[in-house]
Amino acid sequence: RFLRAEPDKYDMILMDVQMPVMDGYEATRRIRASVHPRAADIPIVAMTANAFAEDVRRALDAGMDGHLPKPIDMNAMRELLGHLREERGDA
């Protein structure tokens, strides 16, 4: 869906890591490798029940900008999204 979207359609992608056809790691790699104008800079955040250090590293290695373990802690989500906005200069 993102690859077909206009550049200003999405501000961020909350990526489920475990999906039936293509996992979130591969989806992220494909987004990052695409020619979409926002492919390199749109924040992508992993959302998964896998919360070990190696899971976080795998998400970052795939090109994601952050990792949120499920169940989602709304305070942790706000903090991460605020941090990503500051990094982009949107704060």
Side-chain angles (χ1 to χ4, degrees):
R1 185 169 282 178
F2 170 76
L3 296 179
R4 295 185 307 270
E6 294 295 320
D8 61 347
K9 173 101 174 152
Y10 297 105
D11 293 323
M12 180 175 296
I13 298 171
L14 300 176
M15 181 69 75
D16 191 351
V17 170
Q18 295 179 338
M19 298 185 293
V21 176
M22 178 188 314
D23 68 32
Y25 305 116
E26 181 61 23
T28 298
R29 284 189 288 272
R30 289 187 186 193
I31 288 169
R32 295 295 190 215
S34 76
V35 297
H36 191 281
R38 296 282 321 277
D41 70 349
I42 189 159
I44 302 175
V45 176
M47 297 177 69
T48 178
N50 302 328
F52 294 107
E54 60 265 18
D55 300 307
V56 174
R57 173 57 37 212
R58 188 171 177 205
L60 298 175
D61 288 347
M64 296 184 200
D65 301 286
H67 178 280
L68 287 170
K70 292 180 184 179
I72 301 299
D73 175 321
M74 291 308 291
N75 290 326
M77 180 181 238
R78 278 192 227 42
E79 185 177 322
L80 175 60
L81 298 183
H83 173 73
L84 292 174
R85 287 186 67 195
E86 285 177 11
E87 281 185 347
R88 289 181 47 202
D90 292 342

